[in-house]
Short mmCIF file of all heavy atoms in Angstrom, two decimals:
data_model
loop_
_atom_site.label_atom_id
_atom_site.label_comp_id
_atom_site.label_asym_id
_atom_site.label_seq_id
_atom_site.Cartn_x
_atom_site.Cartn_y
_atom_site.Cartn_z
N ASN A 401 -13.46 17.56 8.39
CA ASN A 401 -14.02 17.09 7.11
C ASN A 401 -15.14 16.06 7.31
O ASN A 401 -15.17 15.01 6.69
CB ASN A 401 -12.90 16.48 6.25
CG ASN A 401 -13.33 16.28 4.80
OD1 ASN A 401 -14.18 16.99 4.29
ND2 ASN A 401 -12.74 15.29 4.15
N CYS A 402 -16.05 16.40 8.20
CA CYS A 402 -17.17 15.49 8.50
C CYS A 402 -18.51 16.04 8.02
O CYS A 402 -19.56 15.49 8.38
CB CYS A 402 -17.24 15.22 10.00
SG CYS A 402 -16.03 14.00 10.56
N GLY A 403 -18.49 17.10 7.23
CA GLY A 403 -19.73 17.65 6.68
C GLY A 403 -20.69 18.15 7.74
O GLY A 403 -21.91 18.00 7.60
N LEU A 404 -20.15 18.73 8.80
CA LEU A 404 -21.02 19.23 9.86
C LEU A 404 -21.95 20.31 9.34
O LEU A 404 -21.57 21.17 8.55
CB LEU A 404 -20.19 19.82 11.01
CG LEU A 404 -19.25 18.87 11.78
CD1 LEU A 404 -18.66 19.62 12.97
CD2 LEU A 404 -19.97 17.62 12.23
N GLY A 405 -23.20 20.24 9.81
CA GLY A 405 -24.16 21.31 9.56
C GLY A 405 -24.30 22.13 10.83
O GLY A 405 -23.73 21.79 11.88
N GLU A 406 -25.10 23.17 10.77
CA GLU A 406 -25.23 24.03 11.94
C GLU A 406 -25.82 23.27 13.12
O GLU A 406 -25.42 23.49 14.28
CB GLU A 406 -26.10 25.25 11.61
CG GLU A 406 -26.13 26.29 12.72
CD GLU A 406 -26.78 27.59 12.29
OE1 GLU A 406 -26.86 27.84 11.07
OE2 GLU A 406 -27.20 28.35 13.18
N GLN A 407 -26.74 22.33 12.83
CA GLN A 407 -27.36 21.57 13.91
C GLN A 407 -26.36 20.63 14.59
O GLN A 407 -26.29 20.57 15.82
CB GLN A 407 -28.55 20.77 13.38
CG GLN A 407 -29.28 19.97 14.46
CD GLN A 407 -30.48 19.21 13.93
OE1 GLN A 407 -30.89 19.40 12.79
NE2 GLN A 407 -31.06 18.35 14.75
N SER A 408 -25.61 19.90 13.78
CA SER A 408 -24.64 18.97 14.35
C SER A 408 -23.51 19.72 15.05
O SER A 408 -23.00 19.27 16.09
CB SER A 408 -24.08 18.03 13.29
OG SER A 408 -23.58 18.75 12.16
N PHE A 409 -23.13 20.88 14.51
CA PHE A 409 -22.09 21.69 15.16
C PHE A 409 -22.58 22.21 16.50
O PHE A 409 -21.85 22.21 17.50
CB PHE A 409 -21.69 22.85 14.24
CG PHE A 409 -20.64 23.76 14.83
CD1 PHE A 409 -19.48 23.25 15.39
CD2 PHE A 409 -20.83 25.13 14.84
CE1 PHE A 409 -18.52 24.09 15.94
CE2 PHE A 409 -19.88 25.97 15.38
CZ PHE A 409 -18.72 25.46 15.93
N SER A 410 -23.85 22.60 16.54
CA SER A 410 -24.44 23.08 17.79
C SER A 410 -24.49 21.97 18.83
O SER A 410 -24.20 22.20 20.01
CB SER A 410 -25.85 23.61 17.52
OG SER A 410 -26.45 24.07 18.71
N SER A 411 -24.80 20.73 18.39
CA SER A 411 -24.83 19.58 19.31
C SER A 411 -23.44 19.32 19.88
O SER A 411 -23.29 19.04 21.08
CB SER A 411 -25.33 18.34 18.58
OG SER A 411 -26.67 18.50 18.16
N LEU A 412 -22.42 19.42 19.01
CA LEU A 412 -21.05 19.22 19.46
C LEU A 412 -20.65 20.29 20.47
O LEU A 412 -20.05 19.99 21.52
CB LEU A 412 -20.10 19.25 18.26
CG LEU A 412 -18.60 19.22 18.60
CD1 LEU A 412 -18.23 17.92 19.28
CD2 LEU A 412 -17.76 19.44 17.35
N ALA A 413 -20.99 21.54 20.16
CA ALA A 413 -20.62 22.65 21.05
C ALA A 413 -21.25 22.48 22.42
O ALA A 413 -20.62 22.73 23.45
CB ALA A 413 -21.06 23.97 20.42
N GLU A 414 -22.50 22.00 22.45
CA GLU A 414 -23.18 21.79 23.73
C GLU A 414 -22.53 20.65 24.50
O GLU A 414 -22.35 20.74 25.73
CB GLU A 414 -24.66 21.49 23.47
CG GLU A 414 -25.48 21.40 24.75
CD GLU A 414 -26.96 21.17 24.46
OE1 GLU A 414 -27.37 21.36 23.30
OE2 GLU A 414 -27.68 20.80 25.40
N ALA A 415 -22.15 19.57 23.78
CA ALA A 415 -21.50 18.44 24.44
C ALA A 415 -20.15 18.83 24.99
O ALA A 415 -19.73 18.35 26.06
CB ALA A 415 -21.35 17.28 23.45
N ALA A 416 -19.45 19.72 24.26
CA ALA A 416 -18.10 20.12 24.68
C ALA A 416 -18.10 20.84 26.02
O ALA A 416 -17.07 20.89 26.70
CB ALA A 416 -17.46 20.99 23.60
N LEU A 417 -19.26 21.36 26.42
CA LEU A 417 -19.36 22.00 27.73
C LEU A 417 -19.10 21.01 28.86
O LEU A 417 -18.75 21.40 29.98
CB LEU A 417 -20.75 22.62 27.91
CG LEU A 417 -21.08 23.85 27.05
CD1 LEU A 417 -22.56 24.17 27.14
CD2 LEU A 417 -20.25 25.04 27.49
N HIS A 418 -19.26 19.72 28.54
CA HIS A 418 -19.12 18.68 29.56
C HIS A 418 -17.81 17.91 29.40
O HIS A 418 -17.68 16.80 29.93
CB HIS A 418 -20.31 17.72 29.46
CG HIS A 418 -21.65 18.39 29.58
ND1 HIS A 418 -22.25 18.66 30.78
CD2 HIS A 418 -22.48 18.87 28.62
CE1 HIS A 418 -23.40 19.26 30.58
NE2 HIS A 418 -23.58 19.40 29.28
N LEU A 419 -16.86 18.50 28.68
CA LEU A 419 -15.56 17.84 28.45
C LEU A 419 -14.45 18.69 29.06
O LEU A 419 -13.68 19.36 28.36
CB LEU A 419 -15.32 17.65 26.94
CG LEU A 419 -16.40 16.88 26.17
CD1 LEU A 419 -16.06 16.80 24.69
CD2 LEU A 419 -16.59 15.48 26.75
N PRO A 420 -14.33 18.68 30.38
CA PRO A 420 -13.38 19.58 31.06
C PRO A 420 -11.92 19.26 30.79
O PRO A 420 -11.06 20.13 31.01
CB PRO A 420 -13.72 19.37 32.54
CG PRO A 420 -14.29 17.98 32.60
CD PRO A 420 -15.06 17.82 31.33
N GLU A 421 -11.62 18.04 30.34
CA GLU A 421 -10.22 17.66 30.12
C GLU A 421 -9.78 17.81 28.66
O GLU A 421 -8.68 17.41 28.31
CB GLU A 421 -10.00 16.22 30.59
CG GLU A 421 -10.24 16.03 32.08
CD GLU A 421 -9.94 14.61 32.53
OE1 GLU A 421 -9.11 13.94 31.87
OE2 GLU A 421 -10.50 14.18 33.56
N LEU A 422 -10.63 18.38 27.83
CA LEU A 422 -10.33 18.50 26.40
C LEU A 422 -9.05 19.28 26.15
O LEU A 422 -8.88 20.39 26.64
CB LEU A 422 -11.50 19.18 25.68
CG LEU A 422 -11.50 19.09 24.15
CD1 LEU A 422 -11.63 17.63 23.70
CD2 LEU A 422 -12.62 19.94 23.56
N GLU A 423 -8.13 18.66 25.40
CA GLU A 423 -6.85 19.28 25.08
C GLU A 423 -6.69 19.55 23.58
O GLU A 423 -5.99 20.48 23.19
CB GLU A 423 -5.69 18.38 25.54
CG GLU A 423 -5.62 18.18 27.05
CD GLU A 423 -4.50 17.24 27.45
OE1 GLU A 423 -3.77 16.76 26.54
OE2 GLU A 423 -4.34 16.97 28.65
#
Side-chain angles (χ1 to χ4, degrees):
N401 194 27
C402 281
L404 297 187
E406 188 169 340
Q407 181 178 351
S408 53
F409 179 49
S410 179
S411 296
L412 173 64
E414 186 177 346
L417 291 169
H418 304 275
L419 304 178
E421 297 183 26
L422 194 64
E423 296 178 1

